[in-house]
Amino acid sequence: MPESIAECPEGDVPCLQEIAASGSFSPTVMGHIVARMTYDYSLKDGFNQLGTDDGCTYNCRDYSDVTGYEKKSMQRWVPMMEDDGKGFFYKQEHVTPHIGTTAKFRFTPENARKRVAPKPSYSKSLRKEAQAVVERMSTLDDTKKLEVEVFDDKGRVTESVVSSLAFAMVEQGYVESVLDPKPGIAITYERGIQFLMGLEAAEQITTWAGPGNDVQTFSAKNFEAYKRVMPHSEYVSGSACLFQYMEDFLTYFTTKTGIDPNFPIVFPPVPPGGSNVEPNSTPSSEIQLIYPNITAMAYAGSESRLNGGMHFGDSVPGAKKLCQNLGQKVAKRVLALTGE
């Protein structure tokens, strides 16, 4: 009989079951087992986490693409130029074409095919969408800037949501009584340089001009989103999908457990100058983000992706349609496991 989880071969569930039984199914032991099973799964989920999915044995590149993805048109993803601020420039490879090629999803193939985001109603030139981004970013104030920053940090969001839920459970006496959608890349408008597709590089735009510069007029070729954008497809918004998931999960979970779902979502206060994009200047006075419920928070989080210039307008409603009710499905499974 194995004495520790480390002695169980990769993917050996019966071995882990023996460890669980020998530990009397204690929360600590079960937590370690879940972590081990999650790690074992991640090695074969199609992300190429160790860079070995193509047979590589030495000097492998973690998460590298093994599909041979190549740009085919201007409405396909193209590399985005980045730099370290010290003269080192580089273009990233696409980070998602291989993801999901070997993973087993909880949805049946039939159900997965039904879960499709609608095609965005973007104009052919994307000029209208680019102008909308410029105009929206020209209205950034301290609160909107902090929302962009806070909601960009998913760990920070999760921590605030969980702590708010825990407080609500205690306040309402509950404590005393007691998939991962993969947005397709068939529609892959690129990010980062996407806004220049609808604007001439030399065209003058008036919008947020970078950290500490407020709103200025400058060349469109120098446009930057408020937060760095990841080098993957613009449509749909993965963040908006996550916020929709949180809303659906918590709404169903609280309703079924007798908790009033209208508890406030409270984030830690940000002191004057506490911004990580515009330190020492934003905000001008302390700001604390508080939302009356998870629905209001999810809406603000999704809108922050548009306010910060990371997406075109259709990416948020498209994500909500693609990911709606996923949280409810997971909540049902969680409650089934707990006997609720």
Side-chain angles (χ1 to χ4, degrees), residues 37-328:
M37 293 180 71
T38 301
Y39 176 73
D40 287 349
Y41 177 83
S42 72
L43 298 182
K44 298 179 179 179
D45 64 1
F47 277 70
N48 196 19
Q49 178 175 315
L50 302 181
T52 57
D53 285 6
D54 60 352
C56 178
T57 54
Y58 299 102
N59 300 318
C60 306
R61 296 180 181 275
D62 299 350
Y63 298 102
S64 57
D65 173 31
V66 295
T67 66
Y69 176 92
E70 294 182 0
K71 171 182 175 295
K72 297 180 180 179
S73 72
M74 279 305 292
Q75 290 192 339
R76 299 288 289 178
W77 185 91
V78 295
M80 179 172 63
M81 177 71 77
E82 299 197 72
D83 69 90
D84 66 351
K86 300 178 181 178
F88 179 74
F89 294 84
Y90 57 96
K91 288 186 177 182
Q92 293 204 9
E93 293 293 330
H94 197 295
V95 298
T96 60
H98 56 292
I99 294 174
T101 53
T102 62
K104 292 182 179 179
F105 297 98
R106 293 301 179 186
F107 294 105
T108 63
E110 181 180 355
N111 289 336
R113 282 194 293 270
K114 293 179 180 178
R115 189 171 286 276
V116 178
K119 186 175 181 178
S121 58
Y122 295 156
S123 61
K124 186 174 182 180
S125 68
L126 296 181
R127 181 176 181 79
K128 180 179 68 174
E129 289 73 23
Q131 289 177 325
V133 170
V134 169
E135 291 172 7
R136 192 156 187 159
M137 287 192 68
S138 69
T139 67
L140 282 174
D141 55 24
D142 282 2
T143 298
K144 289 181 179 179
K145 288 177 180 179
L146 290 183
E147 284 184 325
V148 175
E149 294 182 30
V150 168
F151 288 117
D152 192 60
D153 185 343
K154 304 309 182 293
R156 192 173 176 182
V157 173
T158 302
E159 181 180 350
S160 294
V161 169
V162 171
S163 62
S164 297
L165 173 61
F167 183 79
M169 293 172 73
V170 172
E171 284 288 289
Q172 298 179 35
Y174 181 79
V175 173
E176 298 176 4
S177 65
V178 255
L179 162 73
D180 181 22
K182 176 184 177 292
I185 60 170
I187 304 171
T188 55
Y189 297 93
E190 57 265 33
R191 299 175 69 171
I193 69 162
Q194 64 193 5
F195 309 106
L196 297 183
M197 291 174 61
L199 300 173
E200 296 296 331
E203 185 173 341
Q204 295 293 294
I205 58 175
T206 301
T207 192
W208 182 75
N213 294 320
D214 294 323
V215 176
Q216 304 292 341
T217 299
F218 57 98
S219 174
K221 70 177 182 180
N222 294 322
F223 171 89
E224 289 284 348
Y226 186 78
K227 287 287 290 185
R228 172 189 178 275
V229 292
M230 291 296 291
H232 55 68
S233 307
E234 179 277 331
Y235 186 85
V236 297
S237 167
S239 296
C241 175
L242 176 61
F243 298 137
Q244 181 66 46
Y245 170 88
M246 287 182 170
E247 178 183 353
D248 291 343
F249 179 94
L250 277 183
T251 299
Y252 187 88
F253 179 85
T254 53
T255 300
K256 291 298 182 180
T257 52
I259 302 171
D260 183 356
N262 289 309
F263 59 87
I265 306 298
V266 182
F267 289 82
V270 179
S275 164
N276 56 40
V277 175
E278 297 183 325
N280 303 318
S281 62
T282 301
S284 58
S285 59
E286 180 178 280
I287 289 180
Q288 184 170 27
L289 301 178
I290 301 177
Y291 303 94
N293 50 46
I294 187 64
T295 299
M297 189 219 77
Y299 175 81
S302 295
E303 288 296 295
S304 75
R305 308 304 292 174
L306 304 179
N307 291 334
M310 285 85 88
H311 288 278
F312 289 150
D314 284 2
S315 66
V316 167
K320 291 184 175 183
K321 182 174 179 59
L322 178 68
C323 303
Q324 63 186 355
N325 298 325
L326 282 175
Q328 179 177 320

